[in-house]
Amino acid sequence: MKSNMAGEELMNKIVSLCKRRGFVYQNSEIYGGMANTWDYGPMGVELKMNIKNAWWKDFVRERENVVGLDSAIIMHPDIWKASGHLDSFNDALIDCKSCKSRFRADHIIEDAIGMDVEGKTAAEMTEIIHNEEIKCPVCGSKDWTDARLFNLMFKTFQGVVEDSSSVVYLRPETAQGIFVNFKNVVDTMRVSLPFGIGQIGKAFRNEITPGNFIFRTREFEQMELQFFVKPGEDDEWFAYWKKYAMDWLTGLGISAENLDYHDHSPEKLAHYSKATTDIIYKFPFGWEELWGIANRTNFDLSTHMEHSGKKMTYFDNESGEHIVPYVIEPSVGVDRLLLAFIVEAYTEDEVDGSTRVYLNLHPALAPVKAAVFPLSKKEPLVNMAREIYDKLKKVFNVEYDESGSIGRRYRRQDEIGTPYCITVDFDSIEDKKVTIRERNTLKQDRVEIDRVLDYLLERI
Ligand code: GAP
């Protein structure tokens, strides 16, 4: 039923479900809310953790040639000079002089005349906005300031003195923490090329126009892999990680028709990149970047070598040479991915003449794997249900619920995407069996109590 729903209507339903069922709350709500800032509730934090665990398992732990890292958010400020972020990590912003609204200049142009201006200077964008007589989307005025560059890094001070010598930045990507630890990992772990370093952590960008719920925010989490390869083998590994990331998404339930690749044209490439392909997803507000895969060449290791004066080379036993490896980087935002999984999973169908909403989440991602219900609050049903719950909770995140009608209990679990509901009824006392209902098909199986754990393990 989702396919017929307009994007805005679908987004409204998703935002409302996220709040109602404890996935995502408005941040600082009791103080009127902090714009474009969100908190994850009890269901959201489970879903987020399951996404991160799935990524860590498939990109780090189960791969012989990838190790993990957890680096600090605030790092030496020279890192951002070396990486190019201080000089180049900018967006052009422009203000409407009449209503004082502020916009990203590239968005204003793209929305008004459909022109892609990536790579153009602020002065060139100002000229386009004047020549094309583009109007302010809020008040319709054509009275603009000039576009000017705005660095996206959050700046703060370390220590008690607030002067230029104590300026530090919140990292805008986790990747630099990996690059500056490259030598540590090579010297302390038995890694040989090709090998990767993976990291999950917070990143911060002072976005001019955050929005679309948790899609673009100023504080977000990234899952990044820097995969180091010999120069000359980079194209092959670039193709490998593009496919691997795409297969990972479809393996976790995102349908291939809602995913695509988008190659960046040479003028759109970031300052460090030789080639970048985004995996894009069909969000309710349009096709947007979900996952960036970049060939960063040896830019980062070389620049850190130059700025720090420390050797960042790798000794290649085969050739007997010291080389600076190339890097292939698949980088994805956890929050954006969580939104894509919820959008994909949101389903409405009709049950007993009324609309039912359920999240068709992959069982590995579902926040709650099973819910246990006694049909009534009477003994011995409660005791039997509690025994099942106590056994299952050691293995999965499960819920116990004895309140309200069974129908309402099912609806709640459907909306949070619980794949299995287990009901202990009066027949259970005699036959020592329970009814297990599957979320999508509503199919019910009668299963011996002793077999419930195995039944779930076979399916989750
Ligand atoms: N280290 C490379 C890098 O950071 P990026 O394309 O700027 O590349 C990678 O970001 C991914 O991080 C994006 O594909 C997106 O999933 C996520 N991301 C970037 N900015 C974001 C924001 N403001 N809010 C939420 N997620 C964001």
Side-chain angles (χ1 to χ4, degrees):
M1 204 198 267
K2 181 171 60 182
S3 56
N4 299 328
M5 219 184 284
E8 203 177 323
E9 186 191 350
L10 176 58
M11 248 344 256
N12 288 341
K13 288 188 171 185
I14 284 170
V15 173
S16 152
L17 182 141
C18 281
K19 164 96 201 260
R20 190 170 71 247
R21 293 302 183 195
F23 282 92
V24 181
Y25 304 131
Q26 173 76 65
N27 170 271
S28 311
E29 200 172 359
I30 60 167
Y31 286 94
M34 175 90 171
N36 300 300
T37 309
W38 305 94
D39 296 337
Y40 290 89
M43 291 304 120
V45 74
E46 289 290 339
L47 175 55
K48 210 176 181 206
M49 212 149 24
N50 292 341
I51 293 171
K52 291 192 276 187
N53 286 342
W55 184 90
W56 194 260
K57 172 178 159 293
D58 293 331
F59 282 78
V60 181
R61 190 164 294 145
E62 286 191 4
R63 299 194 68 102
E64 276 180 41
N65 58 353
V66 180
V67 292
L69 185 83
D70 185 9
S71 67
I73 286 172
I74 297 175
M75 302 195 283
H76 196 295
D78 288 356
I79 287 174
W80 307 113
K81 181 71 193 158
S83 69
H85 283 83
L86 263 179
D87 295 326
S88 312
F89 197 53
N90 302 313
D91 276 341
L93 63 84
I94 193 161
D95 294 309
C96 168
K97 285 187 190 164
S98 301
C99 71
K100 313 287 180 221
S101 300
R102 176 164 288 178
F103 304 94
R104 258 176 71 170
D106 57 338
H107 286 177
I108 285 286
I109 298 172
E110 207 169 309
D111 292 349
I113 57 171
M115 186 194 281
D116 187 347
V117 290
E118 188 99 19
K120 295 229 182 290
T121 63
E124 286 167 337
M125 285 191 238
T126 305
E127 203 179 317
I128 294 169
I129 289 171
H130 286 301
N131 291 348
E132 298 289 333
E133 301 195 351
I134 293 174
K135 289 184 189 156
C136 168
V138 175
C139 72
S141 158
K142 287 185 252 172
D143 194 9
W144 295 103
T145 63
D146 286 348
R148 60 206 181 280
L149 293 180
F150 171 78
N151 193 284
L152 297 182
M153 281 197 293
F154 275 96
K155 203 194 259 188
T156 185
F157 301 96
Q158 179 155 273
V160 287
V161 185
E162 294 193 1
D163 64 15
S164 60
S165 66
S166 62
V167 167
V168 288
Y169 301 91
L170 304 188
R171 65 180 178 200
E173 61 170 8
T174 66
Q176 295 305 322
I178 295 180
F179 291 125
V180 298
N181 276 294
F182 170 77
K183 207 55 187 147
N184 283 335
V185 172
V186 169
D187 292 345
T188 56
M189 300 284 110
R190 272 180 276 159
V191 288
S192 51
L193 289 181
F195 75 89
I197 306 177
Q199 169 159 232
I200 301 178
K202 289 260 180 171
F204 303 81
R205 297 182 188 178
N206 202 359
E207 301 277 4
I208 299 166
T209 47
N212 282 328
F213 195 32
I214 54 173
F215 176 80
R216 182 175 287 108
T217 50
R218 297 192 170 108
E219 172 180 344
F220 55 98
E221 237 177 323
Q222 287 187 315
M223 304 193 286
E224 298 203 296
L225 172 68
Q226 308 301 319
F227 196 73
F228 300 93
V229 303
K230 289 185 188 171
E233 294 180 1
D234 51 315
D235 289 343
E236 186 189 320
W237 280 108
F238 183 58
Y240 173 88
W241 285 110
K242 279 190 338 190
K243 181 171 184 318
Y244 189 85
M246 184 65 98
D247 290 348
W248 191 81
L249 291 169
T250 52
L252 282 172
I254 299 202
S255 59
E257 71 201 33
N258 291 335
L259 292 164
D260 209 346
Y261 292 112
H262 168 73
D263 297 330
H264 287 216
S265 56
E267 62 276 9
K268 284 188 72 177
L269 292 175
H271 59 276
Y272 51 72
S273 171
K274 167 181 159 185
T276 298
T277 299
D278 291 337
I279 294 179
I280 53 175
Y281 177 70
K282 195 176 172 194
F283 286 97
F285 39 85
W287 285 91
E288 294 285 353
E289 172 186 346
L290 179 61
W291 199 322
I293 297 115
N295 180 343
R296 292 182 80 128
T297 67
N298 58 9
F299 172 86
D300 300 270
L301 291 180
S302 303
T303 190
H304 286 306
M305 194 149 64
E306 192 186 312
H307 284 79
S308 68
K310 300 285 181 324
K311 252 184 154 183
M312 303 283 273
T313 51
Y314 168 90
F315 181 70
D316 181 20
N317 280 321
E318 253 173 47
S319 65
E321 286 175 0
H322 291 273
I323 55 173
V324 186
Y326 268 42
V327 173
I328 308 303
E329 175 198 64
S331 168
V332 63
V334 183
D335 315 77
R336 201 171 276 192
L337 194 51
L338 185 144
L339 179 59
F341 279 125
I342 291 189
V343 167
E344 187 72 22
Y346 184 92
T347 316
E348 291 181 2
D349 64 1
E350 216 173 281
V351 176
D352 301 333
S354 64
T355 304
R356 171 181 80 127
V357 173
Y358 68 97
L359 290 187
N360 179 16
L361 287 169
H362 189 287
L365 300 182
V368 176
K369 309 300 181 201
V372 186
F373 309 148
L375 191 61
S376 100
K377 285 185 184 170
K378 294 208 177 100
E379 293 297 2
L381 299 197
V382 166
N383 199 28
M384 289 171 76
R386 280 229 163 253
E387 269 181 24
I388 296 169
Y389 167 71
D390 286 341
K391 186 170 168 190
L392 296 180
K393 78 177 180 196
K394 295 198 170 75
V395 186
F396 308 111
N397 190 35
V398 282
E399 284 196 352
Y400 173 84
D401 188 1
E402 60 179 33
S403 58
S405 73
I406 208 82
R408 284 184 56 185
R409 285 183 257 172
Y410 278 146
R411 289 297 155 92
R412 179 173 175 274
Q413 296 300 332
D414 286 343
E415 286 203 344
I416 61 174
T418 305
Y420 296 100
C421 289
I422 301 160
T423 304
V424 180
D425 56 28
F426 293 102
D427 290 340
S428 307
I429 304 167
E430 293 305 317
D431 66 5
K432 305 280 181 268
K433 289 180 180 171
V434 288
T435 301
I436 304 187
R437 166 210 190 248
E438 201 273 332
R439 176 194 64 206
N440 295 7
T441 57
L442 303 178
K443 200 173 139 285
Q444 303 204 349
D445 278 340
R446 198 79 187 152
V447 179
E448 282 161 28
I449 290 175
D450 288 346
R451 269 205 24 83
V452 170
L453 178 58
D454 286 341
Y455 180 97
L456 296 178
L457 283 170
E458 282 157 20
R459 289 162 177 79
I460 291 174

